[in-house]
Amino acid sequence: MSAEYATFALAPAVRAGGFLADGGFEVHRDFMDFVVDGHPLLHLLSGLDAVSPLASDVPPAILTRQVRGLLLETDAPLPGGRHVLYGCPECEELGCGAVTAVIEQEGNDVVWRDFAWQTDATVDLELNGYLETGPFRFRADEYRAALERLLDDATPRARRRVLLIGARAAALARLAAALRTIGIGADIAHDTAAVPAEELRTYAAVVFGGSVAQSERAAVRAAFTGSGVDVACVDALADVAPLVVAQVEQALDRGPGHRRLTGLTADGGTASVTVAAVCRVRLVAYRLDRLHRTRTHEVFDGTLDPGTHCIPLDSDAAKGRSFLVARAAGGVLVAAVAR
């Protein structure tokens, strides 16, 4: 094994949730990713939809147990000294598949080696090993300091609660239910006139329905500013719950972190998608027909290399009032199709 050291750090990352073209949904997960030599380790595992065990929504006792395991203060959870580095975002079952590696102490160093995709207690490195990933040798003091900061961090979790403003109660109720399904709290109000400042400070975003006048929007923004809170404002593109959910997710993703999906634009015949690292991208079109019915169409689902890619839109996705939602493991972007 090479004696060359790799740097070790942690950085916030997101597995974007949301609704799929077939009516299903995926859970939103915030987690800390492992950063090796300045690059998120998850980016090296092309197209993998997974999260680390260091997720923000796990109870403190479980997070502490995960950190203690990575610090080698407790026994490895899998045979052969193997630890789970990334697992299924929807559950904790090994049967769904997980990225594991052997973590061991060598003198004053910590080594991660033998990365593999694992679905049961045993692993076949020749068949399922990530042969081009690792091994990585870290200085133990740097490694421990990064992980122990998670145990000492008293920073409150990011707010994932939004306020829905509008007059169409039924449409807002559908939107609120959709947001709650993927773990985003949502409340409904006609305006903020009677909402106390301490309550406004619990929201991370405000969503305006299409019927809200500009003067009313300005009053709501002023109320949040007067309460001393930097709130993201979302103007609903259309009365389509999955589309507005994606807008909310994009608005809430304002923190630091390495993003794979960095750009999305669309005209009448082509979508332009920009990614910073190899990842799987799914592109879904939502179109309102002349009777204001929603038509949903999956445009693309595949792995893209870093760079900007032009993806053709068929006639169904490009006509009428159309909108695109692009999803990758690290985020979601929304764009209206320009006419």
Side-chain angles (χ1 to χ4, degrees):
M1 177 184 299
S2 171
E4 183 178 352
Y5 287 100
T7 61
F8 180 86
L10 299 171
V14 172
R15 188 270 194 162
F19 289 83
L20 306 178
D22 61 4
F25 67 90
E26 294 178 334
V27 176
H28 180 103
R29 303 293 303 279
D30 295 290
F31 63 99
M32 299 300 289
D33 197 5
F34 309 109
V35 180
V36 179
D37 284 338
H39 302 285
L41 182 58
L42 189 57
H43 288 194
L44 301 178
L45 310 172
S46 305
L48 184 64
D49 181 17
V51 300
S52 83
L54 309 178
S56 65
D57 56 355
V58 301
I62 295 179
L63 178 63
T64 298
R65 187 179 68 200
Q66 300 287 4
V67 172
R68 296 299 183 196
L70 293 171
L71 289 171
L72 302 180
E73 296 177 359
T74 60
D75 293 336
L78 297 171
R82 303 194 72 83
H83 295 255
V84 174
L85 300 182
Y86 299 103
C88 175
E90 306 288 339
C91 68
E92 298 180 1
E93 297 297 326
L94 184 62
C96 290
V99 176
T100 67
V102 175
I103 302 180
E104 57 191 6
Q105 186 96 25
E106 290 188 0
N108 293 324
D109 303 337
V110 175
V111 176
W112 287 15
R113 61 175 176 83
D114 296 341
F115 290 78
W117 179 255
Q118 192 165 347
T119 56
D120 54 37
T122 60
V123 63
D124 186 334
L125 289 177
E126 291 188 3
L127 182 63
N128 295 315
Y130 289 97
L131 303 181
E132 297 182 358
T133 303
F136 301 117
R137 180 180 294 273
F138 308 113
R139 290 182 171 85
D141 54 352
E142 178 185 68
Y143 178 84
R144 293 189 64 86
L147 288 167
E148 288 175 345
R149 275 195 291 270
L150 287 180
L151 303 179
D152 300 331
D153 188 6
T155 303
R157 294 180 181 178
R159 293 168 297 147
R160 291 189 56 77
R161 188 179 177 209
V162 300
L163 181 64
L164 312 181
I165 302 290
R168 300 185 61 186
L172 294 178
R174 290 194 299 270
L175 176 58
L179 288 166
R180 292 166 187 151
T181 298
I182 63 169
I184 299 175
D187 299 313
I188 300 172
H190 183 72
D191 55 41
T192 54
V195 182
E198 58 269 23
E199 180 71 11
L200 291 178
R201 285 193 284 268
T202 66
Y203 295 104
V206 58
V207 181
F208 297 109
S211 62
V212 182
Q214 290 300 323
S215 59
E216 296 173 308
R217 298 177 190 222
V220 170
R221 293 189 181 98
F224 276 100
T225 300
S227 300
V229 59
D230 178 22
V231 67
C233 296
V234 177
D235 296 315
L237 290 173
D239 184 13
V240 179
L243 175 66
V244 184
V245 166
Q247 287 187 260
V248 171
E249 291 179 280
Q250 180 178 341
L252 292 179
D253 184 19
R254 299 193 294 170
H258 299 267
R259 291 171 175 79
R260 301 186 188 185
L261 187 59
T262 59
L264 173 66
T265 58
D267 59 23
T270 305
S272 178
V273 180
T274 304
V275 297
V278 176
C279 61
R280 176 188 176 191
V281 175
R282 283 173 294 184
L283 195 61
V284 176
Y286 297 93
R287 179 175 62 85
L288 296 178
D289 65 15
R290 288 177 295 177
L291 299 178
H292 298 284
R293 295 172 300 192
T294 303
R295 306 296 185 184
T296 305
H297 175 66
E298 186 174 273
V299 176
F300 177 82
D301 185 351
T303 300
L304 297 179
D305 293 323
T308 299
H309 304 264
C310 293
I311 299 173
L313 302 176
D314 61 23
S315 58
D316 190 52
K319 63 186 179 182
R321 291 183 60 205
S322 298
F323 310 90
L324 292 178
V325 174
R327 293 187 178 278
V332 56
L333 294 178
V334 180
V337 180
R339 307 313 305 161

